[in-house]
Structure formats: C-alpha cells, structure tokens
Amino acid sequence: MSALALPAPAATPTRTATVDIVIPVYNEAIDLAASVVRLEAYLASGFPFEYRIVVADNASTDGTWQIAQRLAARHERVSAVHLDAKGRGRALRRVWLDAEADVVAYMDVDLSTDLNALLPLVAPLVSGHSDVAIGTRLGRGSRVVRGPKREFISRSYNLLLRTLLRAGFSDAQCGFKAVRREVAQRLLPLVEDDNWFFDTELLVLAQRAGLRIHEVPVDWTDDPGSTVDIVATAAEDLRGIWRLLRPRGRPARTPAQPLVGPQPPVEPHPPVEPQPLVEPQPLVEPVETPSQLPGQLLRFAAIGVVSTFAYIGLYLLLRPLGAQAANLIALLATAVANTAANRRLTFGISGREGALRHHLGGLAAFAAALGLASGSLWLLDALRPGAGHLTEVVVLIVANAAATLLRFVALRLLMHRR
C-alpha cells in the first residue's frame, strides 16, 4: 500500500425518514382491497422513505374491517385500526396521535389524487421546510376532472373560508394532506371537529399558529360513486366556520405549550404615565369614504346586480339538490361575497378591524333574505304546485329585490362612519 493511501472511511448508517399514510374508511368493502394493493405497489416501487399504510376503519357496518384485517395479515407494511364510532376526523386523530413516524399523512380510499404527488407532499416536511402540506385542486398546475356542480361548491366553500376566516390556503377539503408528527401532536388536541370539518379546522389553527403550510398542485379525478352527502356536509362546515368565528373558537397558546418554538420571556411593562384625553379614533380606517348617498346606492345596486346573476346561476346549478337546499347554499355564498364587495367598494372600508361585525350583520340580512325567499317558494308551491323552474326564478328575483332595501339600510347603518 502506498504511503499516501488512506483507509476507506467506515460506512456511516443513514437514518431514513418514516411516513405513516392513513386511509380512513367507512363501508368501503368494494374498493378497499384494490386501493391498498395499488398504493402499496406504488410505494414499494421507489418511494424513498420508510412507510406504513394504516387502514383506519371508523365503525363500518359491512365487511370493511374484515378486509382490512386480511390486508394487514398479507402485507408487512399494512396495518389496520378499528374505531367503534364514525367520523373521519376521529379516525385521523386516533392514528396520528399514536404514530411514531416522522410524518403522518392521509388520502381518500378512492385514490382520486394522482399518487405521483405523494413525494412532493411529504418531502418539504421531511426536510423541515414546512410544517403542514396539502394537495390543492384549485392551484395553478392542478388538473381536475369533476362535474361543474362539485367544482362550483368547492370554489364557493373556499371563498367563504378566505372571506370569513381569512384562510391563506386554497383548498381545505382535498383528501390529501400530511403533517410533521410533532406538529400534529400539538395541533390535534385543539381540533374539536371529528368529521368532515376536521381538515378545515386543522388548517385554520395551523395558520393562526404561524405554521408553514405547503401546497402541492395535484391531478385529481372525481369518484362518481362517492356517497358523501353534499347538503349535510355543507351544513356541518357552516357550523364549523361559525364556531371558529367566535372568540372561543380561537384557542389561545400558552407559553408552556408553544406551537412554533420557545417563546421569549415577557418583560414587565414600565408604569404608564397618565395621558391627556384625546378624541377617540375609529376602529376601521376607510380607504375611501363615499359619503354621498347616491354614490353608495349606485355602487350597492351594481354589486347587487352581479350578486343576483351569481345567485341565479348557482341556484340553477344546484337545483338537482332540491329547491330549498339550492336556495340556501346559493344565498349564503352570494351573501358573503356581497358583504365583502360592499364593505370595500360601497362604503370604502378595508382592513380587518370590524370585518367580523360587518359580516355578521351581512349574515343577519342574509337570514332575512332567506326567510323571504324560502317563504316565497313555500307560497308558490302551495298556490301553484308543480310550477316550472322559470316561475321559481321569477318569484325568487322578486323576493330578493324586496330584501335588497332592507339589506342596504342594515349595511349602511352598520358600516357608515359617523
């Protein structure tokens, strides 16, 4: 051996990150086996991290649990967990809190999301770049195949989140998410929902805690056999949004349980010298104050026309759900957007201060409009059973026109800077 030759360095074992991928299921006996086998084959073919697939059966009443047990017995990297109560959020909380992997993730059993997005989903979490990662069907680069009704509902829901909860993420309900384990252990005890709103609440709490949320555009194909009750899910989501709007829906972090690292000690404030009384300042600073009533009316009317067309289009799109359900969803979506537009354009108000109060006032006006519109539909059905869609639309236009004056007066009293 040459005097300059050096011995080969000893091999240093490298630690491979671990990922738990949860598939929450309820009565999925038909699709479960094929989906798990397909996912396991994909991961085994080149996924760079150690992985485990966990089938979380939440109180299925068909043969789902028996199939999950057989899959776990045949495949080394597949395990199964059974819960006695329903709820996708409940299943995810149970498995994620018990996990020992570096990253915990989940995907829908129908595998609607292209599996090639899995590595871009978890890689930023493994590297420490991000804390939470979500697939988005609404971002640039996404390719989505689904009907116009589901597309419209999804976009309307996320518009509600951005308007009311100031969400910074684009797609709350895509069934394709991942979280670093230590982050999940801090967030999950704060999440109250156990069902479909679980995803949204988790993301809102993560955003409020200052965590980094990474979005991955996905290719997504709608499952035509989905059994999700759209109306019931929408009602549940609206209740969840309302809960997060209330003060107690914003859990406070204590210094002993920080979500994003240690907090610096708080220095006591020095005594404050008495200050002379000053004229109180308004909480909301208007960008422009169109104080003239004619200008406000013109702006309000223009926004109302746009809102009416949007309402009619949404109503007709959702009409297969039933007249009352379509009316409720269409009115709510357009009411939130209408209030946001009037706040900015009609009354010249920007900023967060007072936004919640303004939107609550707008929703109160929405409730009045809902009563007028629903009552009009009921009266039409009582007087002219079987009336066509065109007659329904005419009646609803008249009813909403009657509610417009009430809405303008309410919003002006609420937002007008005295």
Side-chain angles (χ1 to χ4, degrees), residues 24-347:
V25 291
Y26 172 74
N27 288 351
E28 297 288 354
I30 296 176
D31 299 325
L32 177 58
S35 295
V36 170
V37 170
R38 176 185 163 197
L39 175 61
E40 207 282 331
Y42 175 85
L43 295 171
S45 67
F47 192 65
F49 307 122
E50 291 293 329
Y51 66 87
R52 182 178 66 139
I53 301 171
V54 184
V55 180
D57 172 45
N58 46 318
S60 293
T61 57
D62 61 359
T64 297
W65 173 236
Q66 289 73 24
I67 295 173
Q69 289 178 304
R70 289 198 294 269
L71 288 168
R74 294 174 184 172
H75 299 272
E76 179 182 357
R77 298 187 178 183
V78 177
S79 61
V81 175
H82 178 74
L83 287 82
D84 294 328
K86 287 179 60 177
R88 181 179 69 174
R90 178 179 287 108
L92 291 175
R93 179 187 288 106
R94 160 77 179 278
V95 179
W96 282 359
L97 285 176
D98 291 343
E100 297 180 357
D102 300 300
V103 174
V104 291
Y106 95 90
M107 61 179 62
D108 292 335
V109 67
D110 55 19
L111 303 186
S112 293
T113 304
D114 190 324
L115 294 177
N116 288 324
L118 183 57
L119 181 56
L121 184 80
V122 302
L125 307 184
V126 172
S127 69
H129 173 273
S130 301
D131 303 295
V132 181
I134 65 173
T136 175
R137 299 161 295 184
L138 305 178
R140 292 183 179 179
S142 300
R143 288 182 290 185
V144 178
V145 179
R146 61 176 167 181
K149 180 174 69 176
R150 286 183 176 270
E151 180 75 10
F152 196 94
I153 291 174
S154 178
R155 291 187 179 276
S156 298
Y157 177 68
N158 285 283
L159 175 62
L160 283 176
L161 295 182
R162 289 195 296 273
T163 303
L164 294 178
L165 299 178
R166 307 195 65 84
F169 42 87
S170 63
D171 191 355
Q173 293 290 52
C174 181
F176 197 69
K177 295 182 175 67
V179 188
R180 290 197 295 118
R181 176 173 56 87
E182 63 271 23
V183 173
Q185 290 177 342
R186 294 289 180 86
L187 280 178
L188 290 176
L190 305 178
V191 179
E192 297 182 23
D193 191 84
D194 286 327
N195 205 15
W196 296 104
F197 191 69
F198 173 90
D199 297 53
T200 301
E201 186 170 0
L202 180 74
L203 292 176
V204 170
L205 294 178
Q207 178 178 295
R208 290 176 178 175
L211 302 179
R212 300 186 70 173
I213 301 176
H214 177 70
E215 296 198 358
V216 179
V218 298
D219 296 344
W220 195 87
T221 303
D222 191 20
D223 177 18
S226 175
T227 58
V228 176
D229 188 331
I230 296 178
V231 176
T233 303
E236 177 185 323
D237 289 339
L238 294 176
R239 289 194 297 269
I241 291 173
W242 172 251
R243 176 167 54 79
L244 290 180
L245 282 170
R246 294 179 297 175
R248 67 188 179 117
R250 304 174 183 240
R253 289 177 287 136
T254 62
Q257 288 274 318
L259 288 177
V260 287
Q263 304 295 320
V266 178
E267 296 294 336
H269 291 287
V272 179
E273 294 296 331
Q275 299 294 326
L277 294 177
V278 297
E279 185 70 19
Q281 299 298 315
L283 292 177
V284 179
E285 288 296 332
V287 174
E288 175 191 4
T289 310
S291 57
Q292 297 299 321
L293 182 59
Q296 290 181 346
L297 283 171
L298 286 175
R299 291 175 174 84
F300 184 85
I303 294 171
V305 169
V306 175
S307 299
T308 300
F309 279 110
Y311 164 78
I312 294 172
L314 182 55
Y315 174 81
L316 293 176
L317 186 65
L318 300 177
R319 184 59 180 78
L321 299 177
Q324 295 289 1
N327 178 58
L328 172 62
I329 298 174
L331 269 177
L332 182 59
T334 53
V336 172
N338 183 283
T339 300
N342 276 307
R343 187 173 185 267
R344 173 74 179 184
L345 302 177
T346 302
F347 302 103

Side-chain angles (χ1 to χ4, degrees), residues 164 245-246 250 352-361:
L164 294 178
L245 282 170
R246 294 179 297 175
R250 304 174 183 240
R352 299 185 180 184
E353 294 293 344
L356 175 59
R357 179 167 53 88
H358 298 158
H359 277 288
L360 291 178

Side-chain angles (χ1 to χ4, degrees), residues 396-412:
L396 289 172
I397 290 175
V398 174
N400 280 280
T404 299
L405 179 61
L406 171 64
R407 183 176 180 81
F408 175 77
V409 172
L411 291 179
R412 192 168 192 271

